[in-house]
Amino acid sequence: MIELLIISRLLEYPDSALWQHHQELHEALAQSETLTGEQRVALKGFIDSLCRRELLDAQSSYSELFDRGRATSLLLFEHVHGESRDRGQAMVNLMNQYQQAGLEIDSHELPDHLPLYLEYLSQRTRAEAQGGLQDIAPILALLSARLKQRESDYALLFDLLIALSESSVSVETVRQQIANEARDDTPQALDAVWEEEQVKFMADDSCGETEITAHQRRFAGAVAPQYLNIAGGK
């Protein structure tokens, strides 16, 4: 599905190559046989709007949107497993899935990075690609809802992915569910994310221990966005 490859590229960190060759995205979009006319126009508009911006401004906005906090992370398993051990095994399973499909990963991104996953799906049959999108549809809806709360144009890309999946998941329902969710990209929340726990190397004599190491926990005390349970949907 050429549409997945286009959206994958648009969800990557903006770079000069995209600005120089964005016309190629328009040419690829013209080959789409899956998007409706209205959807193609909307996606074309997104590409034009993005590439009309100053590159540094687009990069700054991207980082603030996807790299601050966890709620809008493009790492899929962040929204399912958080920091749990299950995330590591899920990474291994996904990497094996890529390898079995003959996809060689030559990237610094983790295997659950959404643009990489979309690139993988773009090489599968339409039925397989739709199945892969349906597997992550609840995550896509959650991201779309949060991006709409932040009035970001990037929400369009997630709505298109949901449409391509033909999933019954409702972004509007998710928006209502997270209406009172605290944002995790505020200065106060980010301060809490990086706050270090005190580390003690020597215990008090009353403790009866010779040494205590209190390991720093990233995101300790931070605003925690809700996590998804998508196991029942598979």
Side-chain angles (χ1 to χ4, degrees):
M1 297 177 71
I2 189 66
E3 303 84 3
L4 299 185
L5 199 56
I6 296 170
I7 296 175
S8 170
R9 184 65 182 92
L10 293 172
L11 283 174
E12 292 177 353
Y13 182 74
D15 58 20
S16 58
L18 176 59
W19 261 236
Q20 294 168 9
H21 303 288
H22 74 273
Q23 184 58 37
E24 295 176 13
L25 292 182
H26 287 309
E27 294 170 0
L29 182 57
Q31 302 174 29
S32 172
E33 298 179 351
T34 306
L35 295 177
T36 66
E38 182 178 354
Q39 290 169 336
R40 283 198 298 272
V41 169
L43 187 51
K44 180 181 183 300
F46 177 90
I47 296 170
D48 289 339
S49 176
L50 177 64
C51 294
R52 277 197 300 265
R53 301 185 63 185
E54 292 292 332
L55 178 57
L56 290 178
D57 289 342
Q59 291 173 335
S60 177
S61 296
Y62 180 97
S63 295
E64 289 187 5
L65 189 62
F66 294 117
D67 297 334
R68 289 168 63 94
R70 306 164 76 173
T72 53
S73 171
L74 294 180
L75 297 175
L76 295 171
F77 295 146
E78 173 65 44
H79 304 285
V80 182
H81 302 299
E83 296 292 303
S84 73
R85 291 183 178 181
D86 292 339
R87 183 174 182 176
Q89 186 58 53
M91 293 280 197
V92 172
N93 293 342
L94 185 56
M95 183 64 76
N96 289 337
Q97 190 174 334
Y98 291 160
Q99 292 174 345
Q100 291 172 7
L103 181 64
E104 294 294 330
I105 305 301
D106 182 18
S107 171
H108 297 298
E109 296 292 354
L110 294 172
D112 65 333
H113 192 232
L114 179 57
L116 180 58
Y117 183 66
L118 294 177
E119 182 179 350
Y120 158 73
L121 291 183
S122 73
Q123 301 178 21
R124 314 308 298 165
T125 67
R126 179 172 177 176
E128 290 172 334
Q130 279 190 330
L133 289 175
Q134 288 171 4
D135 286 342
I136 64 169
I139 301 173
L140 299 175
L142 184 62
L143 287 169
S144 174
R146 286 173 174 160
L147 290 170
K148 286 174 180 175
Q149 282 185 335
R150 301 178 190 198
E151 300 181 345
S152 170
D153 292 342
Y154 275 95
L156 168 70
L157 303 184
F158 294 86
D159 288 344
L160 290 177
L161 290 174
I162 294 171
L164 289 170
S165 76
E166 298 184 1
S167 169
S168 60
V169 65
S170 168
V171 174
E172 185 56 37
T173 298
V174 176
R175 287 186 69 179
Q176 294 173 8
Q177 292 172 346
I178 67 169
N180 298 319
E181 180 183 63
R183 287 181 56 157
D184 70 342
D185 62 337
T186 63
Q188 295 81 3
L190 291 170
D191 285 344
V193 166
W194 297 109
E195 182 180 15
E196 295 183 1
E197 292 181 347
Q198 182 179 8
V199 179
K200 294 182 179 180
F201 293 97
M202 297 300 295
D204 295 335
D205 292 339
S206 60
C207 292
E209 296 176 342
T210 58
E211 183 174 307
I212 294 178
T213 301
H215 295 286
Q216 176 184 340
R217 281 185 55 85
R218 187 170 178 232
F219 304 113
V223 175
Q226 70 175 16
Y227 290 99
L228 297 172
N229 179 4
I230 62 175
K234 295 184 178 181

